[in-house]
Amino acid sequence: MADLESPKRALRQKAEATTSCPKQPLSDGQYITGFNIVQGSEWKTCEDFIVPQLIELLTPLLNSRTSISALEIGPGPKSLLGYLPNNLKKKVKKYTAFEPQATYCFELEEWLCPPSKTESPLPCLEFPPAIHPIPFVPQDDVGSGTSADTRYKDEKYDIVLFCHSMYGMTPKRNFIEQALKMLVEQPQGGLVVVFHRDGALNLDGLACHRTASFPTGVVRVADDDKVLDDFTPFIAGFTMQDVDVDQAIRADWRQKCRALGRREEAHPNHLSFSAPNVMATFTQHATALPELAAQVPLVMGRGKVKNWEAQSHIPAAIVKPTNIRQVQQCVRWALKHRVGLTVIGGGHSGHCLLPNVVSVDMSAFNKVRVIAPGEEAPEYQFGPDSGHLVIAEAGCKTGDIVHKTTEMGIMVPLGARPSVGAGSWLQGGIGHQSRLRGLACDAIIGAVVVSIKSGQVFRLGSVPTQHCPADAVHPENEADLLWLIKGAGTSFAIVVSVVFTSYEAPTYSIQNWVIPLNNNHEARLKLSEFDELVARKLPNNCSADAYLFWDASQLHLGVAVLKYSITGFTHPTLTSTSIEAIWGPGEDPKIVDGVGLFETEMYMSALHGGHGGGKTSTFKRCLFLKNIGEANIANRLIAAFETRPTPFCYLHLEQGGGAVSDVGDGTAFGCRDWHFACIITGVWPRNQDGTETAQSTVQWVYDIAGDLLSLSRGAYCADLGPDPRDAVLASKAFGGFKLHLAHFKHSLDPHNVLPYASPIPKPPKKLIILVTGESGAGKDYCAGVWTSTLTRCADNGLTARVLSISEETKREYAEATGADLSRLLQDRAYKEQHRPMLTTFFKDQVWERPSLPEEHLLNVVFRAADVDVLIITGMRDEAPVATFAHVVPHSRLLEVRVRASEQTRQIRRGYHGDDSDGDDNKDSNNSESTALDSCPSFVFDNDATGNEAADKFAEKYLLPYLQTDLQRLVNLVPVVRGFPRAGFDFRHVLGIAQQPGGLALCTSLFQTHFTGDWAKIQAVVGCEAGGFVYASPLALRVDVPVVLIREAGKLPPPNFSATKFPSLISSVVSNKSKEKRMEMERGVVPRGASVVVVDDVLSTGATLCAVLELLGEAGIEAEDITVMVVAEFPVHDGRNMLRRCGFGKVNVQSLLVFGGD
């Protein structure tokens, strides 16, 4: 799809070539008409990109201030700020605009100051909006005595917003600098925000605070002569003075537009043009680049960047540190001036250079060293076969390491492309040796990195002393940081060097087959043969890669089978698998070493005559697949070629399994359960970089990836970047580690020094409400009411959203069966028709993937990562809080069970089709018949009509979890680093009681958060020792006795006794911790009493299990017990422990929730 720059160039060239008639600028009417055509068709860009970006940018700014002032430049007839959520736009107290079009000035003022009965889009302005009908120009360009002159000198703003591109502003840097002068002063400072569509935004060395892009924006213009006659002059920027010439040139312009515009099936009467949009934000630090340039050498031009996309970007600067101290200076400069950085390793990444961002070129760190046994202290871990360590600096390429290690007779399992750099090793590294030796990141045993939180140099794992900087230190979180470097390393530090373990170098025998495919049926058959008869039968010292590619007017299947041997080959051979019996003789086998292997790659030597030599450009995304011979996967792989934009595009299926799957959680690379890495590769001639052909090919790659995503086992994170089209792939790129990575990113890069690396998801919200109950109880209805109530009543402008977890199953079912997803989601009768198949499908999927319910929950949670409260309907699981709390350990999980009488539910199911609840729970375990096996956080009886009861319920029971008192309590919990041993962060919950007001606050919160009736409670039970601290003041406040549970021998008989297994802390302190006996006096609490058990912490649940066992012996039923703890650590799965021990009916409440240990 041609972008708007294409018709602009073509229209201007056509006018120049056709006539010498003078041009004239557009009249106000012509400009407005053209502007309205473009802006009207760009509403989706505003809705999907501009407004969300503004919300994300302004939320922290607005939350830190009671009010803000705003200046908009070129807003048109409406202010962008008027589209913000109410809680944000209400803080805009002063508004100024420069809008040179007089008509728009009038419309803008009328919009902001409507008739008295209509609320203004900016309802809290303290003064009338100041709207100036003049252009915004730099102060040096302002003529003496103009009205704008004095305003420029005096007025200051919290935000200056360039709304609709910087058309006609040249040089653009001058306009940004003028806006920077108009920001409020430090310490708070302000923001200049630019949204721009008109080509590259080159600002001559200004360093942006943040940047983002929206490459999928589209402008659609009606294919109508009159509309095109209004559109084309606006795009060209002029009309012709002579009327006859103008009419003639417009006819030519219409013809040119129709030739360039795309006619989409969904919009048959329109011409579509690509309109990518970018956002750049600047603070008063934007001009600070000379400070960095004085410390670190600058690179002229683009440096040695290979990627075509990166080459098209104009960075603020490229700096090339030559020593670690200069890397530290880059980080400290970024921290000081609040800007983000990119890092250039091998130069393969499309986001190693970004517009107006400073890039750190690590190419000076290009040494490879091999450490033989005996050269270092014996405590270092040497390679299991070779006895060597390999130290590779971050500027090395894969080929550099392979050449060096091959000379030494050793190897490191790296990727298959010689020119890729550290980004590949740190984020996976899939290669020919992966089935036998694992991924490249699996071989990393140490690293030297620069912290992006502090600028310190860290030494991680096994790093030989002579190759480690003298000032490098072992950080307290060393184990975590090394784990992150092994699989997600580009996002958490700037890596200077890594230490690999190595293996004895093998010899490789490789043989290729190329099989022409006459039709799709034959293609499916051959792909199935390859999967089932070849690949699955190979031992781990062999691998088989497949290529699907188009050549000579038909589809081909290329297969490369590789065998590696330490002892070598006496003659070219493969395996005992009778491949020739299936496909006949292949090409002659070749025997090569690690260096020669690069040249035998089918991609380099066979496809389309070989892709080496820089003749083509490529764009890739990679998904992980299993069972590629199955019809639903094979059909999609083959169908991909029906829409290929160039004949050079291909799919590479690189075999995995073996050692790739055996690593477990030893690295941060979370996608292990796959047979093939499907590398979707778009290829075009290099001389077409930046053209519509390149853009279409990139979109083809994303389309095929999206088509395969639901059938995949994950996506390869090494390819992904800040392109918003990568977000959906990133949701499946980190496996079960997604949540951990989100929180590590938040803690290790709090200032977003590396915001553009692999897109780590944001940490999810703190409150997740699971709505359960029988069909017809009104769960969806209640969820909607509660969302509105929480959004309305919370005093900090929080956001809330409702999502259904059952949609995840429906999406996968639709992908696998071809069912209509929209009807599954919206058509109750259609859903009922498919319900038996849906249920069977879900059960089959869970049998194959036992972690599927957890995956579905995480998918829903991260789909709503931008909200504070997530309400989830459609739960199919009994005891969902106990089942899933450990999956989202940093969030508070609540279950609200909605009940209604049978009569009410029948009426709703019969007469209110819109209250279908969307949960597919008729055949699930989550019904009243089994509800007694677990205790929800709350029960809401929903027999009444209207919103009132649901609204009051949310205010009374849900809203308290969002108020500030709980955050005050969090702030009273000290964090003790390195206790009880190195690598742990100890939350000193008992420390609350040692701070002024802490015990009183905690006691008050216990009393107000209790979901039962204190009048029915007959005792508060406290367990030694933490429980004593908090149980006693609570018992005093509610005026009931306190019951003490102590270690055996400390209470007089007669007693009840129970075994207590070691707590988490006891186990960490000593591996020799033994079980203990806990005792409670007989008769201190009457049989059948209702009690509240109070303790400081719920972790593994070991202590509470003993306490509940004692209460059971005393005749207290589980339904009559409520457990209240100060702090819960869900990662240790304590609720599930209680449930497994038979205490699922006990109501468990916690004031605070902490992730981690």
Side-chain angles (χ1 to χ4, degrees), residues 227-241:
V227 174
L228 290 176
D229 282 348
D230 291 332
F231 170 73
T232 50
F234 178 78
I235 295 299
F238 58 86
T239 59
M240 312 306 292
Q241 284 186 3

PDB file of all heavy atoms in Angstrom, residues 227-241:
ATOM      1  N   VAL A 227     -14.486  14.301  -4.535  1.00  0.00           N
ATOM      2  CA  VAL A 227     -13.676  14.099  -3.322  1.00  0.00           C
ATOM      3  C   VAL A 227     -12.196  14.124  -3.665  1.00  0.00           C
ATOM      4  O   VAL A 227     -11.383  14.756  -2.968  1.00  0.00           O
ATOM      5  CB  VAL A 227     -14.060  12.766  -2.642  1.00  0.00           C
ATOM      6  CG1 VAL A 227     -13.123  12.483  -1.466  1.00  0.00           C
ATOM      7  CG2 VAL A 227     -15.508  12.801  -2.169  1.00  0.00           C
ATOM      8  N   LEU A 228     -11.826  13.482  -4.765  1.00  0.00           N
ATOM      9  CA  LEU A 228     -10.413  13.475  -5.159  1.00  0.00           C
ATOM     10  C   LEU A 228      -9.941  14.879  -5.539  1.00  0.00           C
ATOM     11  O   LEU A 228      -8.782  15.232  -5.303  1.00  0.00           O
ATOM     12  CB  LEU A 228     -10.188  12.507  -6.316  1.00  0.00           C
ATOM     13  CG  LEU A 228     -10.316  11.017  -5.963  1.00  0.00           C
ATOM     14  CD1 LEU A 228     -10.162  10.154  -7.209  1.00  0.00           C
ATOM     15  CD2 LEU A 228      -9.275  10.614  -4.917  1.00  0.00           C
ATOM     16  N   ASP A 229     -10.848  15.690  -6.126  1.00  0.00           N
ATOM     17  CA  ASP A 229     -10.474  17.067  -6.466  1.00  0.00           C
ATOM     18  C   ASP A 229     -10.256  17.917  -5.221  1.00  0.00           C
ATOM     19  O   ASP A 229      -9.561  18.942  -5.278  1.00  0.00           O
ATOM     20  CB  ASP A 229     -11.556  17.700  -7.345  1.00  0.00           C
ATOM     21  CG  ASP A 229     -11.462  17.236  -8.795  1.00  0.00           C
ATOM     22  OD1 ASP A 229     -10.425  16.618  -9.143  1.00  0.00           O
ATOM     23  OD2 ASP A 229     -12.421  17.463  -9.552  1.00  0.00           O
ATOM     24  N   ASP A 230     -10.852  17.529  -4.106  1.00  0.00           N
ATOM     25  CA  ASP A 230     -10.590  18.213  -2.838  1.00  0.00           C
ATOM     26  C   ASP A 230      -9.360  17.638  -2.134  1.00  0.00           C
ATOM     27  O   ASP A 230      -8.630  18.369  -1.458  1.00  0.00           O
ATOM     28  CB  ASP A 230     -11.806  18.075  -1.906  1.00  0.00           C
ATOM     29  CG  ASP A 230     -13.007  18.857  -2.402  1.00  0.00           C
ATOM     30  OD1 ASP A 230     -12.806  19.871  -3.086  1.00  0.00           O
ATOM     31  OD2 ASP A 230     -14.144  18.438  -2.099  1.00  0.00           O
ATOM     32  N   PHE A 231      -9.144  16.344  -2.319  1.00  0.00           N
ATOM     33  CA  PHE A 231      -8.060  15.652  -1.616  1.00  0.00           C
ATOM     34  C   PHE A 231      -6.697  15.951  -2.230  1.00  0.00           C
ATOM     35  O   PHE A 231      -5.717  16.234  -1.526  1.00  0.00           O
ATOM     36  CB  PHE A 231      -8.348  14.143  -1.644  1.00  0.00           C
ATOM     37  CG  PHE A 231      -7.228  13.273  -1.169  1.00  0.00           C
ATOM     38  CD1 PHE A 231      -6.907  13.190   0.180  1.00  0.00           C
ATOM     39  CD2 PHE A 231      -6.502  12.494  -2.067  1.00  0.00           C
ATOM     40  CE1 PHE A 231      -5.874  12.363   0.617  1.00  0.00           C
ATOM     41  CE2 PHE A 231      -5.474  11.674  -1.646  1.00  0.00           C
ATOM     42  CZ  PHE A 231      -5.156  11.608  -0.298  1.00  0.00           C
ATOM     43  N   THR A 232      -6.608  15.909  -3.558  1.00  0.00           N
ATOM     44  CA  THR A 232      -5.292  16.009  -4.203  1.00  0.00           C
ATOM     45  C   THR A 232      -4.614  17.361  -3.995  1.00  0.00           C
ATOM     46  O   THR A 232      -3.397  17.403  -3.742  1.00  0.00           O
ATOM     47  CB  THR A 232      -5.400  15.679  -5.702  1.00  0.00           C
ATOM     48  OG1 THR A 232      -6.451  16.440  -6.292  1.00  0.00           O
ATOM     49  CG2 THR A 232      -5.674  14.193  -5.892  1.00  0.00           C
ATOM     50  N   PRO A 233      -5.310  18.503  -4.062  1.00  0.00           N
ATOM     51  CA  PRO A 233      -4.603  19.760  -3.781  1.00  0.00           C
ATOM     52  C   PRO A 233      -4.086  19.828  -2.332  1.00  0.00           C
ATOM     53  O   PRO A 233      -3.014  20.405  -2.089  1.00  0.00           O
ATOM     54  CB  PRO A 233      -5.681  20.834  -4.025  1.00  0.00           C
ATOM     55  CG  PRO A 233      -6.661  20.202  -4.935  1.00  0.00           C
ATOM     56  CD  PRO A 233      -6.688  18.750  -4.546  1.00  0.00           C
ATOM     57  N   PHE A 234      -4.830  19.260  -1.406  1.00  0.00           N
ATOM     58  CA  PHE A 234      -4.373  19.269  -0.009  1.00  0.00           C
ATOM     59  C   PHE A 234      -3.083  18.469   0.125  1.00  0.00           C
ATOM     60  O   PHE A 234      -2.141  18.883   0.820  1.00  0.00           O
ATOM     61  CB  PHE A 234      -5.466  18.681   0.891  1.00  0.00           C
ATOM     62  CG  PHE A 234      -5.065  18.603   2.340  1.00  0.00           C
ATOM     63  CD1 PHE A 234      -5.085  19.736   3.151  1.00  0.00           C
ATOM     64  CD2 PHE A 234      -4.652  17.404   2.904  1.00  0.00           C
ATOM     65  CE1 PHE A 234      -4.704  19.666   4.486  1.00  0.00           C
ATOM     66  CE2 PHE A 234      -4.269  17.317   4.230  1.00  0.00           C
ATOM     67  CZ  PHE A 234      -4.300  18.461   5.020  1.00  0.00           C
ATOM     68  N   ILE A 235      -2.999  17.330  -0.554  1.00  0.00           N
ATOM     69  CA  ILE A 235      -1.792  16.504  -0.486  1.00  0.00           C
ATOM     70  C   ILE A 235      -0.634  17.189  -1.208  1.00  0.00           C
ATOM     71  O   ILE A 235       0.499  17.220  -0.716  1.00  0.00           O
ATOM     72  CB  ILE A 235      -2.064  15.109  -1.093  1.00  0.00           C
ATOM     73  CG1 ILE A 235      -3.094  14.360  -0.243  1.00  0.00           C
ATOM     74  CG2 ILE A 235      -0.779  14.297  -1.185  1.00  0.00           C
ATOM     75  CD1 ILE A 235      -2.680  14.114   1.185  1.00  0.00           C
ATOM     76  N   ALA A 236      -0.915  17.776  -2.377  1.00  0.00           N
ATOM     77  CA  ALA A 236       0.143  18.454  -3.127  1.00  0.00           C
ATOM     78  C   ALA A 236       0.580  19.740  -2.438  1.00  0.00           C
ATOM     79  O   ALA A 236       1.749  20.142  -2.514  1.00  0.00           O
ATOM     80  CB  ALA A 236      -0.330  18.754  -4.545  1.00  0.00           C
ATOM     81  N   GLY A 237      -0.374  20.435  -1.780  1.00  0.00           N
ATOM     82  CA  GLY A 237      -0.053  21.656  -1.056  1.00  0.00           C
ATOM     83  C   GLY A 237      -0.280  22.926  -1.854  1.00  0.00           C
ATOM     84  O   GLY A 237       0.096  24.013  -1.398  1.00  0.00           O
ATOM     85  N   PHE A 238      -0.904  22.817  -3.028  1.00  0.00           N
ATOM     86  CA  PHE A 238      -1.111  24.015  -3.851  1.00  0.00           C
ATOM     87  C   PHE A 238      -2.171  23.727  -4.912  1.00  0.00           C
ATOM     88  O   PHE A 238      -2.561  22.561  -5.135  1.00  0.00           O
ATOM     89  CB  PHE A 238       0.184  24.454  -4.530  1.00  0.00           C
ATOM     90  CG  PHE A 238       0.810  23.402  -5.412  1.00  0.00           C
ATOM     91  CD1 PHE A 238       0.417  23.251  -6.749  1.00  0.00           C
ATOM     92  CD2 PHE A 238       1.790  22.551  -4.916  1.00  0.00           C
ATOM     93  CE1 PHE A 238       0.993  22.283  -7.556  1.00  0.00           C
ATOM     94  CE2 PHE A 238       2.366  21.582  -5.719  1.00  0.00           C
ATOM     95  CZ  PHE A 238       1.966  21.443  -7.036  1.00  0.00           C
ATOM     96  N   THR A 239      -2.618  24.767  -5.566  1.00  0.00           N
ATOM     97  CA  THR A 239      -3.418  24.654  -6.788  1.00  0.00           C
ATOM     98  C   THR A 239      -2.728  25.499  -7.861  1.00  0.00           C
ATOM     99  O   THR A 239      -1.739  26.188  -7.584  1.00  0.00           O
ATOM    100  CB  THR A 239      -4.861  25.159  -6.574  1.00  0.00           C
ATOM    101  OG1 THR A 239      -4.810  26.536  -6.168  1.00  0.00           O
ATOM    102  CG2 THR A 239      -5.581  24.334  -5.507  1.00  0.00           C
ATOM    103  N   MET A 240      -3.246  25.478  -9.080  1.00  0.00           N
ATOM    104  CA  MET A 240      -2.690  26.270 -10.170  1.00  0.00           C
ATOM    105  C   MET A 240      -3.479  27.576 -10.305  1.00  0.00           C
ATOM    106  O   MET A 240      -4.717  27.603 -10.141  1.00  0.00           O
ATOM    107  CB  MET A 240      -2.740  25.498 -11.489  1.00  0.00           C
ATOM    108  CG  MET A 240      -2.210  24.069 -11.393  1.00  0.00           C
ATOM    109  SD  MET A 240      -0.530  23.926 -10.707  1.00  0.00           S
ATOM    110  CE  MET A 240       0.407  24.681 -12.022  1.00  0.00           C
ATOM    111  N   GLN A 241      -2.785  28.640 -10.609  1.00  0.00           N
ATOM    112  CA  GLN A 241      -3.445  29.947 -10.718  1.00  0.00           C
ATOM    113  C   GLN A 241      -4.432  29.983 -11.888  1.00  0.00           C
ATOM    114  O   GLN A 241      -5.536  30.504 -11.762  1.00  0.00           O
ATOM    115  CB  GLN A 241      -2.406  31.064 -10.879  1.00  0.00           C
ATOM    116  CG  GLN A 241      -1.682  31.416  -9.599  1.00  0.00           C
ATOM    117  CD  GLN A 241      -0.784  32.627  -9.783  1.00  0.00           C
ATOM    118  OE1 GLN A 241      -0.740  33.235 -10.852  1.00  0.00           O
ATOM    119  NE2 GLN A 241      -0.058  32.976  -8.715  1.00  0.00           N
TER     120      GLN A 241
END
